[in-house]
Short mmCIF file of all heavy atoms in Angstrom, two decimals:
data_model
loop_
_atom_site.label_atom_id
_atom_site.label_comp_id
_atom_site.label_asym_id
_atom_site.label_seq_id
_atom_site.Cartn_x
_atom_site.Cartn_y
_atom_site.Cartn_z
N THR A 658 154.95 191.30 206.57
CA THR A 658 155.32 189.92 206.29
C THR A 658 155.74 189.72 204.82
O THR A 658 156.01 188.59 204.42
CB THR A 658 154.15 188.98 206.60
OG1 THR A 658 153.03 189.29 205.75
CG2 THR A 658 153.70 189.14 208.05
N ARG A 659 155.80 190.80 204.05
CA ARG A 659 156.17 190.70 202.64
C ARG A 659 157.54 191.31 202.40
O ARG A 659 158.02 192.13 203.18
CB ARG A 659 155.13 191.43 201.76
CG ARG A 659 153.72 190.90 201.91
CD ARG A 659 152.78 191.67 201.01
NE ARG A 659 151.39 191.34 201.26
CZ ARG A 659 150.39 192.19 201.21
NH1 ARG A 659 150.65 193.47 200.93
NH2 ARG A 659 149.15 191.81 201.44
N GLU A 660 158.16 190.92 201.30
CA GLU A 660 159.45 191.47 200.92
C GLU A 660 159.30 192.95 200.55
O GLU A 660 158.34 193.35 199.91
CB GLU A 660 160.01 190.71 199.72
CG GLU A 660 160.31 189.24 200.01
CD GLU A 660 161.59 189.06 200.81
OE1 GLU A 660 162.35 190.05 200.92
OE2 GLU A 660 161.82 187.96 201.33
N ASP A 661 160.27 193.75 201.02
CA ASP A 661 160.27 195.18 200.71
C ASP A 661 161.73 195.64 200.68
O ASP A 661 162.32 195.90 201.73
CB ASP A 661 159.47 195.97 201.74
CG ASP A 661 159.34 197.44 201.37
OD1 ASP A 661 159.92 197.85 200.35
OD2 ASP A 661 158.66 198.18 202.11
N PRO A 662 162.33 195.76 199.50
CA PRO A 662 163.75 196.14 199.42
C PRO A 662 164.05 197.51 200.02
O PRO A 662 165.21 197.77 200.40
CB PRO A 662 164.02 196.13 197.91
CG PRO A 662 162.94 195.29 197.31
CD PRO A 662 161.74 195.48 198.18
N ALA A 663 163.05 198.36 200.14
CA ALA A 663 163.29 199.71 200.66
C ALA A 663 163.20 199.80 202.17
O ALA A 663 163.42 200.87 202.74
CB ALA A 663 162.30 200.69 200.03
N ALA A 664 162.86 198.71 202.84
CA ALA A 664 162.66 198.74 204.29
C ALA A 664 163.63 197.79 204.97
O ALA A 664 163.68 196.60 204.64
CB ALA A 664 161.22 198.35 204.64
N ASP A 665 164.43 198.33 205.92
CA ASP A 665 165.32 197.47 206.69
C ASP A 665 164.63 197.09 208.00
O ASP A 665 163.45 197.38 208.21
CB ASP A 665 166.66 198.16 206.93
CG ASP A 665 166.52 199.47 207.70
OD1 ASP A 665 165.41 199.76 208.20
OD2 ASP A 665 167.51 200.21 207.81
N SER A 666 165.37 196.45 208.89
CA SER A 666 164.75 195.94 210.12
C SER A 666 164.24 197.08 211.01
O SER A 666 163.20 196.94 211.66
CB SER A 666 165.75 195.08 210.88
OG SER A 666 166.93 195.82 211.18
N ARG A 667 164.95 198.21 211.02
CA ARG A 667 164.48 199.33 211.83
C ARG A 667 163.18 199.89 211.26
O ARG A 667 162.26 200.23 212.03
CB ARG A 667 165.54 200.42 211.91
CG ARG A 667 165.10 201.58 212.80
CD ARG A 667 166.13 202.68 212.88
NE ARG A 667 165.71 203.73 213.78
CZ ARG A 667 166.37 204.85 213.99
NH1 ARG A 667 167.51 205.08 213.35
NH2 ARG A 667 165.91 205.74 214.83
N ASP A 668 163.08 199.99 209.95
CA ASP A 668 161.84 200.47 209.34
C ASP A 668 160.68 199.55 209.70
O ASP A 668 159.55 200.01 209.92
CB ASP A 668 161.99 200.54 207.82
CG ASP A 668 163.01 201.59 207.40
OD1 ASP A 668 163.15 202.59 208.12
OD2 ASP A 668 163.66 201.39 206.35
N ARG A 669 160.96 198.26 209.78
CA ARG A 669 159.90 197.31 210.15
C ARG A 669 159.42 197.56 211.58
O ARG A 669 158.21 197.56 211.85
CB ARG A 669 160.44 195.88 210.04
CG ARG A 669 160.93 195.49 208.65
CD ARG A 669 159.80 195.33 207.67
NE ARG A 669 160.22 194.59 206.48
CZ ARG A 669 159.41 194.25 205.49
NH1 ARG A 669 158.13 194.58 205.54
NH2 ARG A 669 159.87 193.58 204.44
N LEU A 670 160.36 197.78 212.50
CA LEU A 670 159.97 198.04 213.88
C LEU A 670 159.21 199.36 214.03
O LEU A 670 158.26 199.46 214.79
CB LEU A 670 161.20 198.05 214.78
CG LEU A 670 161.78 196.70 215.18
CD1 LEU A 670 162.98 196.89 216.10
CD2 LEU A 670 160.74 195.82 215.86
N LEU A 671 159.65 200.38 213.29
CA LEU A 671 158.95 201.66 213.36
C LEU A 671 157.53 201.53 212.81
O LEU A 671 156.59 202.14 213.35
CB LEU A 671 159.73 202.72 212.57
CG LEU A 671 161.07 203.14 213.18
CD1 LEU A 671 161.80 204.09 212.24
CD2 LEU A 671 160.87 203.79 214.54
N ALA A 672 157.36 200.75 211.76
CA ALA A 672 156.02 200.51 211.22
C ALA A 672 155.17 199.75 212.23
O ALA A 672 153.97 200.03 212.39
CB ALA A 672 156.12 199.74 209.91
N LEU A 673 155.79 198.79 212.92
CA LEU A 673 155.04 198.05 213.94
C LEU A 673 154.65 198.97 215.09
O LEU A 673 153.52 198.89 215.60
CB LEU A 673 155.89 196.89 214.46
CG LEU A 673 155.25 196.03 215.55
CD1 LEU A 673 154.05 195.28 214.99
CD2 LEU A 673 156.26 195.04 216.12
N ALA A 674 155.56 199.86 215.51
CA ALA A 674 155.23 200.80 216.58
C ALA A 674 154.09 201.72 216.17
O ALA A 674 153.22 202.05 216.99
CB ALA A 674 156.48 201.61 216.95
N ALA A 675 154.08 202.17 214.92
CA ALA A 675 152.98 203.00 214.44
C ALA A 675 151.67 202.21 214.43
O ALA A 675 150.60 202.75 214.76
CB ALA A 675 153.30 203.52 213.05
N TYR A 676 151.76 200.93 214.09
CA TYR A 676 150.57 200.09 214.09
C TYR A 676 150.00 199.93 215.51
O TYR A 676 148.78 199.86 215.69
CB TYR A 676 150.91 198.72 213.51
CG TYR A 676 149.80 197.70 213.59
CD1 TYR A 676 148.80 197.65 212.62
CD2 TYR A 676 149.75 196.79 214.65
CE1 TYR A 676 147.77 196.72 212.71
CE2 TYR A 676 148.73 195.86 214.74
CZ TYR A 676 147.75 195.82 213.76
OH TYR A 676 146.73 194.91 213.85
N LEU A 677 150.87 199.89 216.50
CA LEU A 677 150.41 199.69 217.87
C LEU A 677 149.57 200.85 218.39
O LEU A 677 148.91 200.72 219.42
CB LEU A 677 151.63 199.49 218.79
CG LEU A 677 152.39 198.17 218.61
CD1 LEU A 677 153.65 198.18 219.45
CD2 LEU A 677 151.50 196.99 218.96
N SER A 678 149.59 201.98 217.70
CA SER A 678 148.72 203.09 218.10
C SER A 678 147.25 202.70 218.00
O SER A 678 146.41 203.28 218.68
CB SER A 678 149.00 204.32 217.24
OG SER A 678 148.71 204.05 215.87
N ARG A 679 146.95 201.71 217.17
CA ARG A 679 145.57 201.22 217.08
C ARG A 679 145.12 200.58 218.39
O ARG A 679 143.93 200.50 218.68
CB ARG A 679 145.43 200.21 215.95
CG ARG A 679 145.73 200.78 214.56
CD ARG A 679 145.81 199.67 213.53
NE ARG A 679 146.09 200.19 212.20
CZ ARG A 679 145.22 200.21 211.20
NH1 ARG A 679 144.00 199.73 211.38
NH2 ARG A 679 145.55 200.70 210.02
N ALA A 680 146.10 200.07 219.16
CA ALA A 680 145.79 199.46 220.45
C ALA A 680 145.94 200.45 221.60
O ALA A 680 145.75 200.07 222.76
CB ALA A 680 146.70 198.26 220.69
N GLY A 681 146.29 201.71 221.30
CA GLY A 681 146.40 202.73 222.33
C GLY A 681 147.81 203.08 222.75
O GLY A 681 147.99 203.90 223.64
N VAL A 682 148.83 202.47 222.13
CA VAL A 682 150.21 202.76 222.51
C VAL A 682 150.62 204.13 221.97
O VAL A 682 150.43 204.42 220.78
CB VAL A 682 151.16 201.67 221.97
CG1 VAL A 682 152.61 202.03 222.29
CG2 VAL A 682 150.81 200.32 222.58
N VAL A 683 151.19 204.95 222.83
CA VAL A 683 151.72 206.26 222.44
C VAL A 683 153.12 206.36 223.05
O VAL A 683 153.28 206.74 224.21
CB VAL A 683 150.83 207.42 222.92
CG1 VAL A 683 151.41 208.75 222.44
CG2 VAL A 683 149.40 207.25 222.43
N LEU A 684 154.13 206.01 222.26
CA LEU A 684 155.49 206.08 222.76
C LEU A 684 155.93 207.53 222.89
O LEU A 684 155.64 208.35 222.01
CB LEU A 684 156.44 205.34 221.82
CG LEU A 684 156.41 203.81 221.91
CD1 LEU A 684 157.28 203.21 220.81
CD2 LEU A 684 156.89 203.33 223.27
N PRO A 685 156.63 207.88 223.97
CA PRO A 685 157.14 209.26 224.11
C PRO A 685 158.06 209.63 222.96
O PRO A 685 158.71 208.77 222.35
CB PRO A 685 157.89 209.22 225.44
CG PRO A 685 157.30 208.07 226.19
CD PRO A 685 156.93 207.06 225.15
#
């Protein structure tokens, strides 16, 4: 939710996907 000049929208989604591993998500 903070500004990050080094991260574009895809980087944000990839970070969110990595975060979802805490809930048990394991994407192929």
Side-chain angles (χ1 to χ4, degrees):
T658 62
R659 302 180 189 144
E660 296 283 348
D661 186 357
D665 60 9
S666 57
R667 183 181 183 184
D668 295 330
R669 300 289 197 176
L670 282 181
L671 291 175
L673 180 66
Y676 174 84
L677 290 173
S678 62
R679 297 170 180 251
V682 176
V683 182
L684 284 174

